[in-house]
Amino acid sequence: MKKKDLIRIAYEKIMLAIGVMIANLVMNETMTVCIVNTVLVVGITLIFDIIQLRNKTQ
């Protein structure tokens, strides 16, 4: 994995986290639900991205 790929993934996940938090706050969720939901979504997509990047580089 190259540093450029990791920076790209980190940037995408930060943007995804901001989007998920805004969507949850617009739907009037509590802050706890918002944070838990954001961590779950970003964590799951991060795992899939790292697995996909590993398979691509092998």
Side-chain angles (χ1 to χ4, degrees):
M1 289 189 280
K2 295 181 181 175
K3 188 175 182 180
K4 184 176 72 172
D5 292 331
L6 294 176
I7 291 172
R8 180 185 52 82
I9 289 175
Y11 178 74
E12 287 175 0
K13 297 309 159 210
I14 291 170
M15 291 297 124
L16 178 65
I18 292 171
V20 169
M21 287 194 84
I22 290 173
N24 279 326
L25 292 174
V26 165
M27 292 188 297
N28 292 327
E29 297 288 347
T30 61
M31 201 59 180
T32 306
V33 172
C34 180
I35 291 171
V36 169
N37 196 0
T38 303
V39 168
L40 284 174
V41 169
V42 172
I44 291 170
T45 57
L46 183 63
I47 290 169
F48 282 122
D49 278 351
I50 289 174
I51 290 171
Q52 185 179 18
L53 189 61
R54 263 192 180 164
N55 291 338
K56 190 172 79 171
T57 56
Q58 286 180 353

